Amino acid sequence: MRESNTVKTPAADGWIDGTFVNPVIPGMHPDPSVCRVGDDYYLACSSFEYFPGVPIFHSRDLVHWRQIGNSLDRPSQLSLPPGTPSSGGVYAPTLRHHDGRFWLITTNVGPGGGAMLFSSADPAGPWSEPVHVPGVGIDPDLAWDEQGRCWCTFAGIYQVRIDPGTGRSFGSPRPLWSGTPGAQAPEAPHLYRIGDYWYLLIAEGGTERGHAVAIARGPAPDGPFEPCPANPVLTHRGTGLPIQNTGHADLVQAPDSSWWMVLLGARPRGGTPGWHVLGRETFLVPVTWADGWPVIGELAPVMAAPPWPPHPVAVSRRDDFDSDCLDPRWISVRSRPAGSWSTTDRPGWLTLHARGASLDDPGVTFAGRRQEHLSCRTRTVIDPAEGRGGLAVRLDERHHYEIEAGDGEVRVMARIGSLRTTVATRPTPAGPVRLRIDVLATRPEEQHPCREPDKLRLGVEDTDAAFEVLAEFDGRYLSTEVAGGFTGRVIGVYAAAGTVRFDWFDYEPLDEDVRRQSSEARRVILAP
């Protein structure tokens, strides 16, 4: 059965009431790096233990983004063996355009990893094979000076000149300005030539609630750097604002000469200490300049729209698996061997062949997409005639909920840390089964100190959409504050035994109208 599977957001005739909603790229899309080429913007994010790696987005207005590919989409570019820990893998990329070509540098934090540099004539790909850059740490940045020399700056904060074509370094890395004295984790450097100065933008304070953005300037790409008197130029630490963990930013100038900043943030929910379940997301905020220093506008869930026409993009919420390849939003855990999946074995179905016995296995056959909304509904039809598999919400190997079909029954299971249990079972007749998971965010008026951020209801659905809930779980146990690490939830399908097939996959946001959802989004922040 085919249904309408695309919507435009916002309405095609313009912004929603002259405002836009933050985050501009929701779900686990942290460490954003942005560049502009003409009227087009391109953005890259971290991907950690998921394959393919480093999603690439395109926008014409900085607000509406469409994923156009993944820069690391071949095993020869990205190796994430089973020994790669969750929240290991690919960390913070930098995306730049120089001399008619796109350049991307990132770090594979795992066995046999290190800093890797890629290039492409087209940001949608294909991207080159990796050029390894020895001696460079995480969060590497690329900047070219007037003489064409390439400077690589990385967490610490250290800097070395490199040849981007070969990865060769000229000399040893030297320390630069490292932010506020005593602040932990100086990282995420980005270097820019703006006017008469070179600006060094960094993150500090750690990527948790103390996260902040600081900046310094100097006469040359290697300094010396003087700090901004107003540092940190952006932080939400110690506040009750709905967006927290703000940091790891990148600057971009629009064609009208205005300046903007993309950065990561989190949306903790529930009681104390607050749990963020979607991971760190990409937000947008305006920037002005005063006395040669950037002044960052207020960051809020609802912002005044930029002063140019909107360019909404089509958003598909349903996949009928009619293509020979998967949409670039689909990601797998560590690898996706060609023999583990197919959309052509049974045309119009996604076929998965099991490699691991459960989601506890680092090599499980899994295909999913990031949870992007605080409340959502996910459904799929599975044919388990030749195996066993199901629909799951995954944070890592030790934190996941799933509903599984096979062997004549449906079962709901939970893994929380060292505990794994089957919570509910139900016999099911032979043939395809429709599985469903509803994620329902806690409303602010429902909160008390121990309130969960959301509830997850897992069950089966009949053809009339009647939902039989087999189990309800507390969402805090699939949160970063409980599990640790740097990632967020991914919702998808998996095979645990034999071969299973999925007819379609439907992801439906349930909280699109942020302005009506809660009072925390009522206040509109106007761009300066």
Side-chain angles (χ1 to χ4, degrees):
M1 178 180 179
R2 297 292 182 262
E3 300 176 1
S4 174
N5 64 354
T6 60
V7 294
K8 281 198 172 184
T9 179
D13 59 351
W15 312 96
I16 302 176
D17 301 328
T19 64
F20 73 89
V21 173
N22 260 319
V24 292
I25 308 182
M28 183 185 61
H29 296 104
D31 310 323
S33 179
V34 64
C35 67
R36 179 176 67 87
V37 182
D39 293 328
D40 298 282
Y41 302 91
Y42 300 96
L43 186 146
C45 295
S46 297
S47 51
F48 301 100
E49 74 265 29
Y50 290 98
F51 182 93
V54 187
I56 302 294
F57 293 85
H58 169 256
S59 176
R60 297 295 301 277
D61 61 13
L62 281 174
V63 172
H64 307 104
W65 295 88
R66 181 176 68 89
Q67 188 174 346
I68 58 176
N70 295 280
S71 57
L72 313 186
D73 59 3
R74 307 187 299 274
S76 59
Q77 295 173 305
L78 178 60
S79 174
L80 298 172
T84 304
S86 291
S87 289
V90 179
Y91 282 20
T94 291
L95 178 65
R96 293 292 182 258
H97 185 262
H98 173 73
D99 199 21
R101 195 164 181 83
F102 290 89
W103 298 85
L104 186 143
I105 189 168
T106 188
T107 312
N108 181 358
V109 180
M116 306 179 295
L117 199 156
F118 305 83
S119 66
S120 176
D122 184 345
W127 288 77
S128 70
E129 291 299 302
V131 172
H132 295 278
V133 190
V136 168
I138 64 168
D139 299 2
D141 175 70
L142 295 174
W144 285 263
D145 63 19
E146 292 84 349
Q147 289 76 44
R149 297 176 298 181
C150 183
W151 299 83
C152 180
T153 312
F154 54 95
I157 303 290
Y158 295 88
Q159 185 185 77
V160 65
R161 275 204 310 118
I162 66 169
D163 179 345
T166 65
R168 175 192 170 198
S169 296
F170 300 97
S172 299
R174 57 181 293 269
L176 295 182
W177 176 75
S178 293
T180 305
Q184 67 167 329
E187 57 190 2
H190 288 307
L191 190 64
Y192 319 88
R193 176 63 186 266
I194 302 172
D196 295 331
Y197 293 100
W198 284 86
Y199 289 85
L200 177 60
L201 186 76
I202 73 166
E204 62 180 29
T207 195
E208 296 79 29
R209 298 294 194 268
H211 214 195
V213 179
I215 196 167
R217 69 187 184 191
D222 56 348
F225 291 97
E226 60 165 323
C228 176
N231 277 334
V233 292
L234 174 63
T235 186
H236 281 188
R237 63 193 179 203
T239 72
L241 296 171
I243 303 168
Q244 290 292 318
N245 301 45
T246 52
H248 204 119
D250 200 3
L251 291 169
V252 66
Q253 188 177 25
D256 68 351
S257 298
S258 65
W259 284 86
W260 298 80
M261 174 182 283
V262 294
L263 70 152
L264 70 77
R267 292 183 284 171
R269 307 282 293 191
T272 299
W275 298 273
H276 74 281
V277 301
L278 304 186
R280 297 163 301 158
E281 308 172 277
T282 290
F283 294 79
L284 177 71
V285 66
V287 177
T288 56
W289 292 81
D291 300 323
W293 295 107
V295 179
I296 315 303
E298 288 191 73
L299 173 65
V302 178
M303 306 278 292
W308 47 71
H311 292 271
V313 297
V315 178
S316 174
R317 66 178 180 87
R318 180 183 171 103
D319 199 322
D320 287 302
F321 304 120
D322 291 330
S323 174
D324 290 347
C325 58
L326 289 175
D327 186 277
R329 290 178 298 175
W330 286 93
I331 52 178
S332 297
V333 181
R334 295 181 180 82
S335 65
R336 187 187 292 164
S340 67
W341 71 281
S342 172
T343 55
T344 58
D345 284 357
R346 180 189 292 180
W349 292 67
L350 173 63
T351 298
L352 298 182
H353 303 286
R355 295 184 294 148
S358 75
L359 286 165
D360 299 350
D361 193 312
V364 66
T365 299
F366 173 88
R369 53 162 293 172
R370 295 159 173 88
Q371 181 183 333
E372 296 180 351
H373 301 83
L374 297 172
S375 296
C376 64
R377 174 171 298 144
T378 307
R379 303 177 298 153
T380 190
V381 168
I382 179 175
D383 182 352
E386 301 174 50
R388 181 167 43 85
L391 180 64
V393 183
R394 178 189 190 274
L395 196 67
D396 59 28
E397 280 77 33
R398 292 167 55 84
H399 301 86
H400 48 83
Y401 301 148
E402 57 262 35
I403 180 166
E404 187 172 284
D407 306 321
E409 71 174 8
V410 170
R411 60 190 70 86
V412 177
M413 295 168 289
R415 172 71 190 266
I416 302 171
S418 60
L419 303 176
R420 178 179 174 85
T421 185
T422 298
V423 178
T425 61
R426 202 207 85 159
T428 184
V433 182
R434 186 177 292 196
L435 307 178
R436 174 170 153 181
I437 299 177
D438 284 4
V439 181
L440 304 173
T442 299
R443 295 181 178 275
E445 61 267 21
E446 301 172 336
Q447 291 188 12
H448 61 67
C450 296
R451 177 69 69 185
E452 68 280 344
D454 57 5
K455 296 178 180 179
L456 289 82
R457 294 174 179 165
L458 290 74
V460 294
E461 186 181 85
D462 64 23
T463 55
D464 295 325
F467 186 28
E468 180 184 354
V469 177
L470 299 181
E472 181 177 282
F473 294 126
D474 185 328
R476 81 186 71 196
Y477 302 109
L478 301 190
S479 72
T480 300
E481 283 76 10
V482 170
F486 302 123
T487 61
R489 291 180 187 164
V490 177
I491 304 179
V493 295
Y494 69 97
T499 297
V500 292
R501 294 179 171 87
F502 301 87
D503 186 17
W504 47 262
F505 180 94
D506 187 89
Y507 176 96
E508 179 185 358
L510 299 179
D511 59 348
E512 285 289 0
D513 194 343
V514 177
R515 273 170 292 283
R516 294 191 184 95
Q517 184 189 356
S518 67
S519 60
E520 71 187 17
R522 294 282 184 181
R523 184 168 60 98
V524 176
I525 299 299
L526 300 178

